[in-house]
Amino acid sequence: MGMPAGTGLDPDDDVAVVDQGFRAGMSSGPEARKTAGEPFTENPRMKCRKVNVFYGDKHAIIDVSIDIGRNQVLSMIGPSGCGKSTFLRCLNRMNDTIEGCRVTGTIKLDEMDIYGREVDVVPLRAQIGMVFQKPNPFPKSVFDNVAYGPKIHGLARNRSELEEIVETSLRRAGLWKEVKDRLSQPGTGLSGGQQQRLCIARAIAVTPEVILMDEPCSALDPIATAKIEDLIDELRERFTIVIVTHSMQQASRVSQRTAYFHLGNLIEVGPTEFVFTTPRHRLTEDYITGRFG
Amino acid sequence: MTTYILLITVVVLSISGFLIGRYRASAMCEAPGASVKLHSRPSYYGLLTAMWCGVPALIVAVLWHGLEPAIIDHLVLSDLPPEIRSLPENRLSLVLNDIKNQAAGVMFSESRDPVIREAADHCVRLRAISRMAMSVVILSLSIIALVAVQKRLSPEMRARNHVERFIRCVLVVCSTLAIFTTVGIVLSILFEAMRFFKAVPVTEFLFGLKWSPQMAIRADQVGASGAFGAVPVFVGTMLVSAIAMFVAVPIGLMSAIYLSEYAGSAVRTVAKPVLELLAGIPTVVYGFFAALTVAPFIRDMGTMAGLDVSSESALAAGLVMGIMIIPFVSSLSDDVINAVPQDMRDGSYGLGATKSETIKYVVIPAALPGIVGGILLAISRAIGETMIVVMAAGLSANLTVNPLKAVTTVTVQIVTLLVGDQEFDSPKTLAAFALALLLFIVTLLLNIIALYIVRRYREQYE
Ligand SMILES: Nc1ncnc2c1ncn2[C@@H]1O[C@H](COP(=O)(O)OP(=O)(O)O)[C@@H](O)[C@H]1O
Ligand SMILES: [Mg+2]
């Protein structure tokens, strides 16, 4: 991993500074690039160190270092275009599919470097699942939508095992009661909220360790949103969850830790209640008090 | 005044109508002390004026041109002496022809017959009157319309609505024209085919196994009546099309998948136009490529393998036709594959699917209606293709599904039936219409089936 020329940053002071990052809260300007709060935790599930992302020449993520705690929900907030989706997509290498996108730095899942040479993205993405902003069920039946992942990964030896996986996943996603009589109908025929829970069920079905969610409720009405939020809280028992959201209420309802991004920089990370009540960085404070964003 | 000058005058009048209308409309609301508000923007008043000025005049001009010859013919004929008028229909039309030639001043038909010469003069006079009258009517119509609209121009006038309604009418007329042309062609084919079926029973045509459309030249000739069984011809068409699709569908589909999913943008920008270039090669070029290169090659290969291959074979025609059709399949499939939302792919990749799994289980199923549509379109294209089969498939109507034999196709037969000197009411010529009708019905059925499949698919997945 090399430091790209022309970013105007000194590569060495970064990790050292984050620990006392609260200092940055006193001023703005160049210091905005140092992360305030507590970006690192004990025994994390994922470790990201000095992650940079470029789209061609555009530097979209700048030196982001953060830990993602086990069986916790980490929410990422920030004004739109600040790189939340971009960073999220680094975590399961979805950025590989974008032409011209380059990622540097290290991201580890437990002790495995996910950008390591020997790593195969196919099992990796089964370990780190993803739910997208717009519900995107496949043009297949409800059953086949959930069965898709287990089938391609060969998780079921026969039809009854597959049915069991599908049922468990749908139950965990809180969708079973609503769809058990219409498993063979197209998944695209469900309501928006049901579609999104179907996408969650689909992600759960391959038994991931981490689930990434990119604004999963932004296309949904308040009731469907509430259901998904409850669901996220339940899922925390089994999975580690990273959720991008533009709603600060949502972040405070569902997450234990919150990360604030600004123009590709990770400004502040901390326990959710602290970030929202006593932000250490002026930019975070401006954002959560609604002064911009 | 010639028609062109007349038309130009009308156009100039319309343009001035536009300018006057617009000017007067803006003057109405900008006049000092005028507190009125125009209903529409000034240019709509101008457009309205121009419309009334030009369109009725143009319609009259078109109608006049359409009806004038018939009316003049009628007048000329009714002035002829009774003994000529009582001539039989076809003789009478000959006389009329003479008169017209004379009137047009064609020298070699200078007639000595005073009656004809007189009639020709009459014809010339009538035409002159007609032209004059037309000019007067059209110009006055234009001017009257211009003045009338200007008279009625007022701020409350709903000029915009009138113009919008007029535009709608124009669009309706255009689409009706397209539909009626199609209906007209179908009806004329149907009508001629009916005449054919009077001579040859429908059942014989549909189920007859022998096709040799030679008819007796004279009615009293014996044993020379033709056989009009369309089965061998249709089997030939199906065989050649099937071979073509066998080539085009896999190659086209796979190159579409490669181009849209795997190829980098550099490859795509070069490869896509090159592939589409195949569609731009004139079919006659494919034809002689098939006849002069592919067919002999296949024959030689066959001989080496100890097979009996005729020098014109269904295989040669089908292979080349398949190549020709590849771009249809690939470019249509490419479009629909690109239209599959990136969300779908992301969803699949996000579950750890590989590229080919994503394509197989998500992209292709989602794009299938479009792909099926493209393939059926390609099939109709193959069935209707003429030049390649004329040159490479042969003329003999063998009833065979052996691709190494010469076969003939519906289009080839239509061509051979209609080239050369024809009598337009012999069954041999009319057979072409019957074949065309059948071809049309088959393509229609194909399209209906395609729509049905696509609709059922949509219902299932939307
Ligand atoms: N595929 C791409 N190519 C080029 N630039 C991109 C691409 N995707 C995102 N960007 C840019 O990267 C920045 C961060 O985008 P994104 O991560 O989508 O922001 P967020 O999700 O926080 O709204 C934006 O400035 C955006 O324009
Ligand atoms: Mg985003």
Side-chain angles (χ1 to χ4, degrees):
Chain A
M1 86 169 224
M3 202 56 208
T7 56
L9 278 181
D10 181 4
D12 292 328
D13 67 357
D14 197 68
V15 180
V17 173
V18 258
D19 286 339
Q20 8 152 339
F22 61 88
R23 192 165 55 88
M26 311 296 174
S27 64
S28 61
E31 279 92 339
R33 296 205 182 86
K34 281 100 191 173
T35 303
E38 304 155 20
F40 305 132
T41 60
E42 291 280 306
N43 188 22
R45 175 119 258 174
M46 294 186 83
K47 276 191 219 164
C48 312
R49 292 296 178 270
K50 294 211 244 178
V51 176
N52 285 278
V53 183
F54 305 85
Y55 291 114
D57 292 336
K58 186 178 162 61
H59 199 170
I61 290 288
I62 304 158
D63 265 347
V64 167
S65 297
I66 187 173
D67 281 349
I68 298 168
R70 231 165 261 276
N71 293 40
Q72 272 192 344
V73 180
L74 168 70
S75 62
M76 307 205 294
I77 58 172
S80 69
C82 67
K84 307 178 296 286
S85 301
T86 301
F87 184 66
L88 192 74
R89 293 166 64 93
C90 291
L91 299 178
N92 69 343
R93 292 186 58 177
M94 280 299 280
N95 283 336
D96 291 12
T97 60
I98 297 178
E99 232 177 292
C101 180
R102 197 158 57 81
V103 179
T104 65
T106 39
I107 299 178
K108 286 187 174 170
L109 173 66
D110 297 322
E111 280 316 305
M112 175 185 71
D113 180 0
I114 67 169
Y115 282 88
R117 196 163 303 169
E118 69 289 354
V119 170
D120 184 1
V121 292
V122 168
L124 174 75
R125 291 194 190 132
Q127 280 175 297
I128 307 177
M130 187 150 195
V131 175
F132 298 84
Q133 180 166 1
K134 221 176 112 232
N136 58 348
F138 302 131
K140 298 173 183 293
S141 69
V142 171
F143 184 91
D144 287 339
N145 259 285
V146 183
Y148 180 79
K151 266 189 201 158
I152 57 176
H153 292 291
L155 299 183
R157 264 166 304 168
N158 51 41
R159 178 80 190 176
S160 65
E161 272 188 30
L162 190 63
E163 279 167 5
E164 203 181 304
I165 294 179
V166 169
E167 182 177 338
T168 324
S169 312
L170 284 170
R171 275 189 199 285
R172 291 211 179 121
L175 195 60
W176 176 250
K177 282 209 191 75
E178 289 157 65
V179 299
K180 66 172 187 287
D181 300 321
R182 44 200 288 205
L183 289 175
S184 59
Q185 282 170 29
T188 41
L190 300 177
S191 76
Q194 289 173 328
Q195 288 189 14
Q196 195 60 298
R197 277 179 284 150
L198 179 64
C199 292
I200 294 177
R202 185 173 77 180
I204 296 174
V206 292
T207 58
E209 288 153 31
V210 182
I211 302 178
L212 312 175
M213 301 186 176
D214 192 350
E215 304 194 16
C217 302
S218 64
L220 304 182
D221 61 78
I223 294 176
T225 301
K227 280 193 184 156
I228 302 239
E229 288 178 2
D230 291 346
L231 175 60
I232 291 173
D233 209 45
E234 285 166 30
L235 292 176
R236 182 158 61 87
E237 284 175 25
R238 293 168 192 279
F239 308 102
T240 299
I241 295 174
V242 184
I243 177 173
V244 170
T245 172
H246 58 228
S247 150
M248 283 174 275
Q249 290 80 0
Q250 182 167 70
S252 60
R253 279 192 299 261
V254 301
S255 70
Q256 284 72 54
R257 288 171 79 228
T258 295
Y260 174 66
F261 282 77
H262 185 86
L263 293 178
N265 296 287
L266 178 55
I267 303 296
E268 176 162 355
V269 187
T272 299
E273 62 272 23
F274 292 153
V275 172
F276 282 110
T277 52
T278 53
R280 299 188 184 183
H281 198 291
R282 197 179 56 82
L283 287 171
T284 320
E285 190 179 342
D286 286 352
Y287 183 71
I288 62 173
T289 53
R291 242 166 283 171
F292 63 79
Chain B
M1 198 188 277
T2 73
T3 315
Y4 289 114
I5 296 181
L6 192 61
L7 282 183
I8 291 171
T9 318
V10 170
V11 169
V12 169
L13 270 175
S14 301
I15 292 175
S16 13
F18 173 76
L19 295 175
I20 295 174
R22 192 177 61 177
Y23 171 75
R24 289 201 47 225
S26 20
M28 260 187 301
C29 62
E30 278 162 16
S35 58
V36 283
K37 206 167 160 315
L38 281 181
H39 171 268
S40 317
R41 287 199 352 264
S43 61
Y44 279 107
Y45 293 88
L47 276 177
L48 188 71
T49 318
M51 219 169 76
W52 278 107
C53 201
V55 175
L58 287 182
I59 292 176
V60 169
V62 169
L63 286 180
W64 201 292
H65 268 274
L67 298 179
E68 187 196 66
I71 294 175
I72 289 182
D73 284 359
H74 182 77
L75 288 178
V76 169
L77 279 181
S78 62
D79 252 23
L80 288 174
E83 70 271 15
I84 295 186
R85 265 192 292 162
S86 57
L87 283 173
E89 183 85 22
N90 47 357
R91 292 287 310 281
L92 199 60
S93 72
L94 279 182
V95 173
L96 197 60
N97 240 350
D98 272 354
I99 295 172
K100 278 188 193 156
N101 284 340
Q102 179 79 30
V106 181
M107 287 321 277
F108 58 80
S109 61
E110 185 76 30
S111 177
R112 289 160 305 275
D113 190 339
V115 177
I116 300 231
R117 235 178 293 157
E118 164 122 0
D121 290 346
H122 186 48
C123 182
V124 171
R125 263 196 317 277
L126 283 176
R127 273 190 203 159
I129 294 173
S130 154
R131 280 299 134 97
M132 193 70 90
M134 182 174 81
S135 305
V136 171
V137 169
I138 286 178
L139 285 186
S140 37
L141 202 61
S142 243
I143 294 171
I144 290 172
L146 201 155
V147 173
V149 174
Q150 290 311 306
K151 272 244 152 56
R152 298 184 50 186
L153 217 60
S154 72
E156 303 87 55
M157 192 179 191
R158 298 169 157 257
R160 173 163 41 81
N161 307 36
H162 290 301
V163 171
E164 291 292 336
R165 208 172 312 142
F166 170 74
I167 289 175
R168 211 178 107 175
C169 287
V170 171
L171 296 180
V172 168
V173 167
C174 285
S175 41
T176 339
L177 217 60
I179 293 171
F180 273 112
T181 317
T182 319
V183 171
I185 292 174
V186 172
L187 282 182
S188 90
I189 291 176
L190 196 65
F191 181 69
E192 300 292 330
M194 284 316 197
R195 285 175 61 194
F196 171 74
F197 289 133
K198 272 191 204 123
V200 178
V202 183
T203 46
E204 189 194 320
F205 176 71
L206 286 182
F207 304 111
L209 298 182
K210 192 163 179 322
W211 175 266
S212 72
Q214 317 308 327
M215 279 309 262
I217 293 168
R218 287 193 321 274
D220 56 342
Q221 266 183 330
V222 234
S225 73
F228 290 98
V231 172
V233 185
F234 264 86
V235 169
T237 291
M238 294 302 157
L239 181 63
V240 175
S241 309
I243 296 171
M245 298 320 288
F246 211 74
V247 174
V249 170
I251 298 183
L253 198 54
M254 291 194 196
S255 51
I257 291 173
Y258 173 72
L259 284 182
S260 57
E261 299 287 322
Y262 288 91
S265 52
V267 176
R268 194 161 42 232
T269 46
V270 177
K272 223 186 149 187
V274 169
L275 200 60
E276 272 157 18
L277 210 64
L278 278 181
I281 299 176
T283 54
V284 67
V285 176
Y286 279 110
F288 64 68
F289 175 62
L292 301 182
T293 313
V294 178
F297 175 75
I298 289 176
R299 190 196 49 215
D300 294 348
M301 296 303 284
T303 325
M304 261 194 274
L307 291 170
D308 177 25
V309 185
S310 50
S311 56
E312 292 175 320
S313 63
L315 188 59
L319 284 180
V320 174
M321 198 193 280
I323 307 259
M324 182 195 84
I325 286 173
I326 288 173
F328 281 83
V329 178
S330 76
S331 117
L332 281 165
S333 314
D334 189 52
D335 289 347
V336 291
I337 289 175
N338 275 329
V340 173
Q342 183 62 31
D343 285 1
M344 286 302 163
R345 297 187 183 86
D346 283 349
S348 176
Y349 293 140
L351 289 169
T354 63
K355 203 151 196 163
S356 69
E357 282 164 347
T358 302
I359 291 167
K360 253 191 311 198
Y361 302 126
V362 176
V363 177
I364 297 290
L368 201 60
I371 294 175
V372 170
I375 289 175
L376 284 171
L377 216 67
I379 295 180
S380 354
R381 179 71 213 231
I383 290 179
E385 170 52 39
T386 312
M387 217 56 222
I388 295 176
V389 278
V390 165
M391 294 168 108
L395 288 174
S396 51
N398 295 322
L399 181 52
T400 174
V401 289
N402 180 354
L404 302 177
K405 286 266 182 290
V407 295
T408 192
T409 70
V410 178
T411 47
V412 171
Q413 286 309 311
I414 293 178
V415 170
T416 47
L417 288 174
L418 292 184
V419 229
D421 292 336
Q422 300 302 328
E423 243 187 292
F424 261 97
D425 47 2
S426 83
K428 189 181 162 199
T429 315
L430 293 175
F433 287 97
L435 285 177
L437 181 67
L438 209 50
L439 199 61
F440 173 74
I441 291 175
V442 169
T443 347
L444 191 69
L445 283 182
L446 265 180
N447 287 352
I448 291 174
I449 294 170
L451 283 181
Y452 175 74
I453 294 174
V454 168
R455 182 140 23 94
R456 254 198 39 189
Y457 192 87
R458 288 245 168 89
E459 274 165 13
Q460 195 178 341
Y461 286 129
E462 267 174 17

